[in-house]
Amino acid sequence: MKYVRSVLNLILLLAISFACQQQNKSEPAEGSGIYLNQIGFYVGAPKIAIIKGAAADKFTVVDLNSNKAVFEGQLGEPNQSSFGNYTTRAADFTILDRPGSYVIQATGLADSYPFEIEPNVLNEVSKASIKGFYYQRMSTDLPEIYAGKWTRAGGHPDTAVFVHPSAATSERPTDFKLSAPKGWYDAGDYNKYIVNSGITMGTLLSAYEDFPAYYSKLDLNIPESNNDIPDLLDETLWNLRWMLRMQDTDGGVYHKLTTAKFEGMVMPENATNKRWVVQKSTTATLDFAAVTAQASRVFANFESQLPGLADSCLAASKKAWKWAQQNPEVLYNQDEVNKAHDPDITTGAYGDKSVGDEFIWAACELYISTGDEAYYSAINLFPDENLSLPSWGNVRLMGYYSLARFINKLPHTSFSEITPLRAQLINFADGLLNGSAAWQTVMGGSEKDFVWGSSAVAANQGVALLQTYRLTNDKKYLEGALSNMDYLLGRNASGYSFVTGHGDKSPIHPHHRPSVADGIDEPVPGLLSGGPNPGQQDGCEGYPSNIPDESFVDNDCSYASNEIAINWNAPLVYLLGAMEVLYNN
């Protein structure tokens, strides 16, 4: 009996040990009161951690290899949080530039998460942020050689998609079947939306246009990695091929390709409901026109590898522009669509009541790609000076970024009108620099920063600052962008690095169907979680508070704070790539 009890006790201990190991695999460690970029810092760049609850005025940086202190500094003055009832103090160790692995220590607190100081410290995260799009591919298997443990069967071939009554024409009546394969899953769901693909593609193509040498050397281990096209562009091609199939014969573009209702939390191959292309819209058509115009000039450099693609893109763009001019107010209103047609469509609406910004973006891209001033003069490109960050519903600044990129190559006749744009962008960037004193980041300067997809707000603020840095060479904009990179990787009130698979405390349970259904503890890596959202529209339990910058919960039911989306990952890609280039030159 004693032997039996011993065996049972041993089995129990092993079970407890295994359970603890499993918990440690799937749950992030708790924070220490020291908040920092959990990946690390560049040599020659600012290095700041934020400390809450310090019992003394000093902090120490300790080398993990030697276990010796290599830097001791004085904490900064207390800063009151704009939202929570606490103060913070900055630990600035910018002067420490010796490559290595470190932790920060402060009296009364546990050690910080370990971090690196090295020249290419964010390169792996940068690659992962692009590889995240590979994991969102549809219409193809993801084999283990490329996807690792996240290998899965292909879903949604989309070779037999039906025309919804809202999109029916005499040439393509209701239930007409068409083929529109490839593309990326838009977010945590299994549908494809032209409007959201628009800003996503524009941001990724802009990253390549601004930093072609960097992206040309990246090997992402995707099926196309051995061809003569940069992997970033190979990935955009997967979505571009789908977008081109969404244009109707008259030039208009279907708003989305979708099931009638959201699929359940199942793997892609098990999500087999009927799929539709839904009503053409002016916003989708203009977003399409902008992307294909930009793609035409990017892929013109790869004519031998992709013969005819650049010409096809430009022809599609011009055709879309013409349709939009003839149909300037065809708005997508899902409630009205559902009143008039069956079946009801209840997936993401991406409705937009204004098309002025889409016209501006499309006109800018067509003007740059063709040199035809008819696009420049077709509309008022500069209606006012009230700029706002790009989002799927406000893409005006996307056009301005492109104009700024080519400002010295544009036709002389319009140059004098475009140059004031430089002052507008600088003024806008200066306003962003009034950020969060408590966290020493640009992000968090206003409660309005914390909306649905607040992580993308931080990333897009960084992109805006980098565009201004490229115009001015003023380091305050570069350092402001870097502060938001630090925010996204852990220097924030939640203590999370918002990029899955990167950082000691990153989301484990994102609202992302494959990550929920695949039976793997770790989520698909390289995806940017939505971030704090005090709206808490999902009604999910577990939010720590409704304080704006703390309103985040790592639970797959939290689509309001913990979903992923391609339009959020895209500015992350831009920001990370820019950091790798600009802090290594």
Side-chain angles (χ1 to χ4, degrees):
M1 196 67 172
K2 182 177 179 182
Y3 171 78
V4 172
R5 282 199 303 270
S6 297
V7 171
L8 289 174
N9 286 337
L10 178 60
I11 292 172
L12 179 61
L13 286 171
L14 288 172
I16 292 171
S17 174
F18 178 77
C20 290
Q21 291 174 18
Q22 293 301 303
Q23 183 177 17
N24 289 338
K25 277 176 64 181
S26 62
E27 300 296 336
E30 290 303 315
S32 68
I34 303 175
Y35 301 76
L36 44 60
N37 180 329
Q38 295 168 27
I39 308 302
F41 303 89
Y42 290 106
V43 173
K47 302 172 188 69
I48 294 173
I50 296 297
I51 297 183
K52 287 168 63 177
D57 292 330
K58 294 183 178 181
F59 71 98
T60 304
V61 182
V62 176
D63 187 311
L64 284 175
N65 292 321
S66 66
N67 201 31
K68 293 181 179 178
V70 294
F71 180 82
E72 186 177 90
Q74 193 80 15
L75 292 175
E77 293 299 314
N79 283 304
Q80 176 66 42
S81 166
S82 299
F83 311 115
N85 186 25
Y86 62 84
T87 60
T88 65
R89 301 179 72 178
D92 189 332
F93 54 106
T94 298
I95 195 172
L96 179 60
D97 267 343
R98 190 174 76 187
S101 300
Y102 302 94
V103 294
I104 292 177
Q105 297 177 345
T107 301
L109 299 175
D111 290 0
S112 74
Y113 295 120
F115 61 90
E116 307 292 319
I117 295 176
E118 61 178 74
N120 299 105
V121 70
L122 298 183
N123 196 51
E124 290 305 309
V125 193
S126 176
K127 291 164 62 176
S129 68
I130 309 171
K131 185 72 175 276
F133 287 90
Y134 171 74
Y135 289 113
Q136 291 294 94
R137 285 189 188 186
M138 59 174 66
S139 312
T140 186
D141 295 342
L142 303 189
E144 185 176 4
I145 189 173
Y146 305 115
K149 68 172 69 176
W150 298 279
T151 180
R152 61 168 171 81
H156 304 95
D158 284 346
T159 52
V161 178
F162 296 87
V163 172
H164 188 263
S166 64
T169 63
S170 58
E171 190 173 342
R172 293 181 174 182
T174 299
D175 279 337
F176 179 88
K177 279 199 286 189
L178 55 86
S179 179
K182 298 190 176 182
W184 301 310
Y185 295 123
D186 176 74
D189 66 298
Y190 288 147
N191 302 304
K192 298 184 280 193
Y193 309 85
I194 285 290
V195 166
N196 213 38
S197 274
I199 188 171
T200 302
M201 291 286 286
T203 305
L204 294 176
L205 292 171
S206 294
Y208 178 78
E209 286 195 299
D210 284 343
F211 307 108
Y214 172 74
Y215 289 108
S216 294
K217 68 184 180 182
L218 288 187
D219 183 347
L220 302 179
N221 186 33
I222 59 176
E224 302 84 5
S225 287
N226 292 324
N227 67 16
D228 294 328
I229 301 168
D231 283 2
L232 173 66
L233 296 185
D234 279 320
E235 196 55 58
T236 64
L237 273 171
W238 193 266
N239 201 61
L240 180 65
R241 300 288 193 190
W242 163 68
M243 291 183 73
L244 289 169
R245 301 300 289 269
M246 289 289 283
Q247 187 173 40
D248 198 358
T249 56
D250 62 0
V253 178
Y254 301 115
H255 196 75
K256 58 180 175 175
L257 193 164
T258 181
T259 47
K261 300 177 181 178
F262 287 114
E263 299 272 12
M265 288 290 184
V266 298
M267 291 300 286
E269 68 269 25
N270 297 322
T272 57
N273 286 316
K274 187 174 181 177
R275 290 166 73 78
W276 307 85
V277 290
V278 182
Q279 181 199 312
K280 289 174 286 190
S281 72
T282 308
T283 51
T285 302
L286 287 168
D287 286 336
F288 173 96
V291 167
T292 49
Q294 188 176 15
S296 72
R297 64 176 182 263
V298 169
F299 288 109
N301 298 312
F302 300 92
E303 179 63 24
S304 61
Q305 298 92 337
L306 300 163
L309 177 63
D311 290 342
S312 296
C313 285
L314 191 56
S317 178
K318 291 177 178 179
K319 194 172 183 179
W321 173 263
K322 184 176 180 180
W323 186 93
Q325 284 189 308
Q326 295 169 347
N327 300 273
E329 295 182 351
V330 181
L331 304 180
Y332 183 76
N333 184 321
Q334 194 152 278
D335 289 339
E336 294 301 316
V337 167
N338 290 339
K339 288 177 184 177
H341 305 288
D342 290 321
D344 284 0
I345 304 295
T346 58
T347 55
Y350 290 105
D352 191 344
K353 295 179 180 179
S354 172
V355 298
D357 54 302
E358 284 85 5
F359 267 110
I360 289 172
W361 183 26
C364 290
E365 300 298 350
L366 276 161
Y367 171 51
I368 296 165
S369 293
T370 66
D372 186 345
E373 296 217 18
Y375 294 109
Y376 177 83
S377 59
I379 58 172
N380 182 3
L381 290 182
F382 307 103
D384 55 57
E385 296 182 4
N386 299 319
L387 305 185
S388 57
L389 285 176
S391 65
W392 64 260
N394 192 338
V395 291
R396 175 180 166 190
L397 208 52
M398 298 293 290
Y400 291 176
Y401 290 165
S402 289
L403 289 178
R405 183 175 301 123
F406 291 96
I407 199 166
N408 294 320
K409 298 179 181 180
L410 296 172
H412 178 73
T413 52
S414 57
F415 184 78
S416 61
E417 297 176 50
I418 292 177
T419 46
L421 173 62
R422 184 178 186 276
Q424 288 188 34
L425 290 173
I426 291 171
N427 185 59
F428 179 64
D430 286 342
L432 293 176
L433 291 176
N434 297 319
S436 169
W439 295 95
Q440 303 282 293
T441 57
V442 168
M443 178 64 178
S446 166
E447 185 173 344
K448 294 178 181 178
D449 287 351
F450 297 98
V451 295
W452 202 318
S454 63
S455 292
V457 172
N460 274 307
Q461 287 175 341
V463 173
L465 292 166
L466 289 168
Q467 293 291 341
T468 310
Y469 173 69
R470 286 168 56 79
L471 283 174
T472 64
N473 208 34
D474 188 331
K475 271 198 168 183
K476 69 180 181 182
Y477 302 116
L478 175 61
E479 292 179 357
L482 182 65
S483 78
N484 273 19
M485 191 74 266
D486 288 348
Y487 168 91
L488 290 170
L489 294 174
R491 199 171 96 207
N492 60 69
S494 78
Y496 277 87
S497 165
F498 291 118
V499 182
T500 57
H502 293 272
D504 285 280
K505 184 180 181 181
S506 63
I508 298 294
H509 308 290
H511 183 87
H512 178 240
R513 279 160 177 75
S515 293
V516 172
D518 62 9
I520 300 168
D521 287 341
E522 299 91 347
V524 169
L527 303 177
L528 182 63
S529 173
N533 174 13
Q536 301 181 8
Q537 293 90 341
D538 45 50
C540 187
E541 296 183 359
Y543 282 95
S545 75
N546 60 2
I547 293 173
D549 58 352
E550 298 176 13
S551 185
F552 173 81
V553 58
D554 182 19
N555 192 316
D556 57 52
C557 71
S558 181
Y559 53 80
S561 79
N562 201 28
E563 191 173 8
I564 63 91
I566 56 173
N567 65 308
W568 301 343
N569 250 66
L572 176 68
V573 168
Y574 188 105
L575 188 56
L576 283 160
M579 293 297 105
E580 280 293 297
V581 173
L582 298 173
Y583 275 109
N584 282 295
N585 282 342

